[in-house]
Amino acid sequence: MANEKLRWEKLDNTAFLFPAIAGESMTNTYRISVTLTEEVDADVLQQAVDLVTPKFPGFNQRLRSGFFWYYFEENGKPAPRVRQEDAYPCRFIHANRNHSYLFRVTYYKKRINLEVFHAIADGMGGLGFLKEITYQYLRLLHPEIGERIGDGLHEDTSLDREDSFLRNYRKGNKSIYKSGKAFLLKGEKLPYHGFGLVHGYMSVSELKDVSKNTYGCSINEYLISAFIFSTYQENRGEVSADRPIRVAVPVNLRPFFASQTTKNFFAMVSAEFGPTKREYTFAEIIGIVKKSLREQITKENLEEIFSYNVSNQEHLIARVVPLPLKNLAMRFVYRKSALANTTTITNMGNVTVTEEYTPYIRGFYCFLSFSKGQNTKAAIMSYGDEMVFTFSSAYKETAVQKGVFRQIAVDGIRVEIETNGVY
């Protein structure tokens, strides 16, 4: 065994940026949480993480730096230690304190949390990993489940590590990114690098009824519009056609390109609102958002977006530049582009689990860490008929979040609000 070569892989087109820009103040992590019906048993959870981690090549690896590029190498160390949550979420993952792994698992009461450094997987890859940890945990805790369905990975769980960006890109694409500066939320930050969370729990069926039948839009378009409407109401004097509210919206590319990769495979589009008059109704903003997103979310346009990114990475000159110089260049480009968006709102869709596990699982939610210029972000996830719209923020003020949920309530949708105690 000692003479066997360790498995290694290149970073995908999105992942190569994250190590260059990550640090204590911009951690590039996200969290996905599952809430169970029983208190978490820490010892059993550790057993589950120990058993599942070696089976996932995308998570059983460590980040290495070569002369020209970062790369991943099979880890092989014991899985990271499961800990009870006792600090703010989405902190920077110090690999040298975490058995060289780029994810962490914590728990609190009935909740299991998975936090992932974005370089190893996007949210879809992270969700698959968390579901398998949860399945293994429940089988260990309730052996009768294992007797009925066995002890292997779920048949729908992908271990594919294809770089789907490389497989699908077309040469010769030009940049179609918005580069003008956007309106940025500002405010007094929470003390001690605080991390504020506001969760809004809603009924999927109620949301679908209002968005489809009242406004003729999707749930995603409705919730993004609610953010834009609230932000404009609170900052009317500062938002303009030259400083628009621009929401970055990640789009999962797997359904468009028949991919099952657990690497990053998404493209960013944007919903933009630059007012040309003073008063806008909520319905008017929904119309603007709907038109903008539907024009962008087509297979052809998404292909153009990521093909431009891949062509830059594949450029011969970029290949021969030493890594420290590449890092400087990537940080410069990132700082310039980071100010082009007011926020990011990601929708992870509806989570489904195997029927045997449903009696033990109450719900899921997810959220994002902050990044330069975007100190408030939002994420959407649903399970069964419950959708959770979660805001993560570094600011003390919550007027925008309140405005979002106020508009949702005005439309007759019941909302239950929960925070992490910071506010």
Side-chain angles (χ1 to χ4, degrees), residues 133-384:
I133 289 173
T134 306
Y135 289 169
Q136 182 66 66
Y137 169 81
L138 290 171
R139 285 198 298 267
L140 290 168
L141 208 59
H142 302 280
E144 65 275 12
I145 301 176
E147 291 171 8
R148 290 198 302 271
I149 64 173
D151 200 36
L153 298 180
H154 191 273
E155 59 184 12
D156 293 336
T157 296
S158 174
L159 300 179
D160 188 345
R161 293 298 288 171
E162 173 192 75
D163 187 336
S164 293
F165 288 117
L166 273 180
R167 179 169 67 86
N168 291 287
Y169 98 103
R170 291 187 296 108
K171 293 182 180 180
N173 290 83
K174 297 180 180 180
S175 173
I176 54 175
Y177 283 110
K178 301 287 179 87
S179 56
K181 290 184 179 179
F183 166 76
L184 300 180
L185 292 168
K186 296 181 177 65
E188 185 181 354
K189 289 192 174 180
L190 292 162
Y192 311 112
H193 304 287
F195 197 110
L197 289 169
V198 179
H199 307 285
Y201 294 85
M202 295 161 278
S203 161
V204 173
S205 51
E206 288 183 10
L207 271 166
K208 189 177 290 186
D209 179 56
V210 168
S211 58
K212 182 180 179 181
N213 297 326
T214 304
Y215 296 105
C217 66
S218 69
I219 290 175
N220 206 39
E221 291 160 350
Y222 175 84
L223 293 176
I224 291 168
S225 299
F227 171 84
I228 291 175
F229 184 63
S230 176
T231 301
Y232 183 57
Q233 297 285 82
E234 293 295 325
N235 303 277
R236 199 172 306 213
E238 300 175 62
V239 179
S240 66
D242 294 329
R243 282 285 189 278
I245 299 168
R246 191 178 293 128
V247 178
V249 181
V251 178
N252 175 21
L253 296 172
R254 292 168 182 82
F256 293 91
F257 297 93
S259 170
Q260 290 188 314
T261 185
T262 58
K263 288 192 172 191
N264 290 289
F265 194 40
F266 65 94
M268 301 293 272
V269 299
S270 58
E272 181 174 322
F273 170 70
T276 55
K277 59 179 184 177
R278 182 158 179 82
E279 294 295 334
Y280 284 84
T281 65
F282 182 45
E284 284 179 301
I285 287 180
I286 285 179
I288 294 167
V289 168
K290 176 180 166 182
K291 181 176 185 296
S292 171
L293 289 179
R294 294 192 182 187
E295 287 175 353
Q296 294 173 75
I297 303 177
T298 66
K299 183 176 180 179
E300 294 72 26
N301 187 63
L302 295 170
E303 189 176 59
E304 282 192 35
I305 292 171
F306 73 76
S307 292
Y308 170 74
N309 295 337
V310 174
S311 63
N312 279 348
Q313 185 186 352
E314 290 292 290
H315 197 285
L316 183 62
I317 296 175
R319 288 184 178 185
V320 298
V321 175
L323 184 58
L325 295 179
K326 277 195 180 79
N327 285 342
L328 287 173
M330 284 189 283
R331 287 176 199 140
F332 173 78
V333 171
Y334 177 79
R335 282 196 293 268
K336 188 176 179 183
S337 63
L339 304 180
N341 292 296
T342 308
T343 191
T344 298
I345 298 180
T346 186
N347 189 340
M348 287 284 293
N350 183 262
V351 181
T352 58
V353 300
T354 302
E355 186 179 352
E356 281 81 0
Y357 302 102
T358 55
Y360 308 99
I361 296 176
R362 212 180 84 195
F364 288 83
Y365 62 74
C366 62
F367 55 84
L368 306 170
S369 59
F370 321 132
S371 59
K372 184 174 177 62
Q374 297 184 41
N375 284 301
T376 298
K377 294 188 180 183
I380 304 159
M381 187 174 253
S382 63
Y383 173 70

Side-chain angles (χ1 to χ4, degrees), residues 45-47 55 62 123 230 246 407:
L45 180 57
Q46 184 67 65
Q47 291 178 54
K55 298 178 182 179
R62 56 185 174 176
S230 176
R246 191 178 293 128
Q407 177 59 48

